[in-house]
Amino acid sequence: MSAIQKVQHPHPKSRKYGAYQSEIYANGMFRNIMPTVTTDPNKLEEQAKQCMSKKGYNYVGGGAGERATMDANRLAFRQWKLVPRMLRQTTHRDLRVELFGRTHDTPLLIAPIGVQVIFHEDKETGIADVAAELGIPYILSTASSSTIEEVAQASGDGARWYQLYWPQDDEVTISLLNRAQKAGFEVLVVTLDTWALSWRPWDLDSAYVPFVKGIGDQTGFSDPVFRRKFKEKHGKEVEEDIHNAALEWQSDVFSGAAHTWDQLELLKKRWNGPIVLKGIQHPEDALKAVEAGVQGIICSNHGGRQLDGAVGSLEMLPEIVEAVGDKITVLFDSGVRTGVDVIKALALGAKAVLVGRPWVYGLGIAGKAGARDVLRGLLAASNDLDQSMGLAGIQNVAGCDRSMIRRCHYPGDRNSSN
């Protein structure tokens, strides 16, 4: 028997994310240049807190109520441990995934985060540019401080999805969908859990909600249907009465009135592409999504920002995958802080994973360059996706399965890097 092992070559189309770790060491050892943004996920939030405005930090760092759901999200990840395998062909990893007929370089997705201008002036357009550079699909929030068209231009040829905070006014909803489709957004992500804003003490204690002053309302303020209706009602252009325009827009988008399953028909008729429902936490709701005829769901609790005391999203992911994983595309969101977290979610059945707060902290520290560093770190550095897959004996995303993970209960385990 030959002892010569066949040399494994990298897939010609896979990106070399792992080079970032070597780049950091080379910059430090030979040029005395240290990372601007910490590579330690447990120190990232504190660094961002020192760099950001208090209101900006509180907005992203805070959650609903006592932040119990945020804690649950992180604790859920701590209960699952990787079981590494050895002597496997994992020198070169392939992170590519296929979602809704399109191949992407990585299973990461940029979670829809609103009002990014309060974190840094680079805002949504800067992050869309970074996402395109790194090959990560960008999901634009309806609560954006940049217009749909501005983000599309910044994204260029990058993959982009549109997240809908669903207005009560059908004519406005249709206008938003038309604009997003015209601007090249391929997938519609419908957020189900935020028809009203939750009780968020960190914002309440500062009496801060940026939308009432028109910050984060650019989607509405730039919409021709909303603008026409506002002028018909008030006899003014939006720019002449920002206060009332903001209240008008918020009363439509965060109305306090929930939509129902039957109303999805409007979106299905008006959106020519995949529709994904974000905020699914219960297997029965996942089954209803299949019955409704949408193409995907996101197992998510809005990063702990909506319902306090809710179950961690990762806790529900296996049940949801068991119920509908062979019928619909299941994605995951909430509590992701490291590349290892991404592997765990993939191993439990998610097809791709949304990441939010970490890159926002990077944005707050050093603008889009800081967000870029955080995302490159998630993909490549010591707590990475690429490197950790290799060390665990996983060659590609398909290899992230239940055989690679085990549930463990350690009394001393604690939540980390909220």
Side-chain angles (χ1 to χ4, degrees):
M1 181 182 293
S2 173
I4 298 176
Q5 186 178 26
K6 182 179 179 181
V7 176
Q8 181 202 10
H9 297 286
H11 193 284
K13 294 185 179 180
S14 62
R15 290 198 181 213
K16 310 301 184 291
Y17 291 113
Y20 183 50
Q21 184 179 31
S22 299
E23 180 183 318
I24 290 174
Y25 284 132
N27 281 336
M29 297 300 292
F30 301 114
R31 303 177 188 88
N32 201 31
I33 299 174
M34 303 300 128
T36 302
V37 179
T38 179
T39 62
D40 186 338
N42 290 326
K43 296 179 180 178
L44 180 61
E45 182 178 355
E46 182 58 32
Q47 185 182 5
K49 183 178 180 180
Q50 300 304 318
C51 295
M52 298 169 70
S53 70
K54 181 179 179 180
K55 290 179 178 178
Y57 166 72
N58 284 349
Y59 184 86
V60 66
E66 63 166 339
R67 302 207 310 171
T69 305
M70 290 179 63
D71 288 343
N73 282 335
R74 292 303 300 144
L75 283 166
F77 275 102
R78 282 297 182 99
Q79 304 308 307
W80 290 97
K81 310 295 184 183
L82 296 180
V83 184
R85 302 293 303 275
M86 300 297 134
L87 296 177
R88 288 182 164 189
Q89 285 281 21
T90 57
T91 305
H92 304 290
R93 278 79 62 190
D94 184 0
L95 273 58
R96 294 173 306 143
V97 295
E98 183 177 312
L99 299 173
F100 309 115
R102 176 167 176 173
T103 299
H104 300 284
D105 293 327
T106 164
L108 284 187
L109 302 168
I110 299 292
I113 304 285
V115 65
Q116 290 175 31
V117 74
I118 69 173
F119 313 130
H120 193 275
E121 61 185 7
D122 284 348
K123 57 179 182 176
E124 292 84 0
T125 48
I127 301 302
D129 178 49
V130 168
E133 176 192 346
L134 297 178
I136 306 173
Y138 179 83
I139 308 177
L140 172 65
S141 170
T142 296
S144 175
S145 40
S146 303
T147 69
I148 293 171
E149 294 75 16
E150 288 169 344
V151 171
Q153 183 176 7
S155 177
D157 294 331
R160 49 188 178 270
W161 301 6
Y162 183 69
Q163 177 269 335
L164 180 69
Y165 282 130
W166 195 348
Q168 291 294 316
D169 188 316
D170 287 350
E171 192 178 359
V172 171
T173 297
I174 292 168
S175 180
L176 297 182
L177 300 188
N178 289 341
R179 289 172 63 196
Q181 290 180 104
K182 185 178 179 180
F185 289 81
E186 304 166 14
V187 178
L188 178 65
V189 177
V190 186
T191 295
L192 307 179
D193 58 13
T194 315
W195 43 272
L197 295 179
S198 68
W199 186 262
R200 300 175 183 173
W202 286 20
D203 293 332
L204 288 164
D205 285 354
S206 299
Y208 182 65
V209 55
F211 309 110
V212 299
K213 289 192 173 182
I215 304 170
D217 297 334
Q218 274 54 44
T219 299
F221 288 2
S222 60
D223 189 79
V225 172
F226 176 79
R227 292 179 66 87
R228 170 176 57 79
K229 291 193 169 193
F230 181 79
K231 188 172 184 179
E232 289 172 354
K233 182 176 180 179
H234 297 275
K236 301 177 182 178
E237 298 291 347
V238 166
E239 291 76 14
E240 297 177 276
D241 192 352
I242 293 293
H243 177 67
N244 276 320
L247 294 179
E248 198 83 29
W249 176 245
Q250 293 304 304
S251 68
D252 194 14
V253 176
F254 303 120
S255 63
H259 288 280
T260 54
W261 288 99
D262 59 293
Q263 292 178 296
L264 287 171
E265 288 301 315
L266 173 71
L267 306 183
K268 290 166 62 180
K269 290 177 182 177
R270 296 292 183 167
W271 183 263
N272 184 27
I275 296 177
V276 177
L277 303 183
K278 181 175 181 285
I280 299 295
Q281 288 276 90
H282 198 290
E284 290 186 12
D285 284 340
L287 288 167
K288 283 183 176 292
V290 174
E291 294 171 7
V294 299
Q295 288 66 48
I297 58 174
I298 302 175
C299 178
S300 168
N301 58 31
H302 214 97
R305 291 175 59 79
Q306 279 300 100
L307 176 62
D308 192 32
V311 64
S313 288
L314 196 74
E315 184 73 24
M316 300 308 301
L317 179 61
E319 291 183 47
I320 287 173
V321 169
E322 183 178 359
V324 301
D326 60 343
K327 304 177 183 70
I328 200 170
T329 299
V330 179
L331 310 176
F332 181 81
D333 169 72
S334 296
V336 176
R337 298 293 179 268
T338 70
V340 168
D341 292 341
V342 176
I343 296 174
K344 291 177 181 180
L346 294 172
L348 291 174
K351 299 301 182 186
V353 178
L354 283 69
V355 60
R357 282 188 177 92
W359 64 258
V360 175
Y361 292 144
L363 176 67
I365 294 167
K368 71 177 188 179
R372 180 177 181 269
D373 285 349
V374 170
L375 289 167
R376 290 185 72 194
L378 271 171
L379 288 165
S382 60
N383 241 337
D384 76 320
L385 174 57
D386 178 71
Q387 185 84 329
S388 294
M389 279 177 61
L391 293 173
I394 303 171
Q395 184 180 0
N396 52 37
V397 171
C400 297
D401 58 31
R402 286 296 290 267
S403 71
M404 299 302 304
I405 197 167
R406 177 173 296 179
R407 190 160 198 169
C408 305
H409 295 284
Y410 298 133
D413 250 352
R414 58 182 177 80
N415 59 300
S416 64
S417 52
N418 244 344

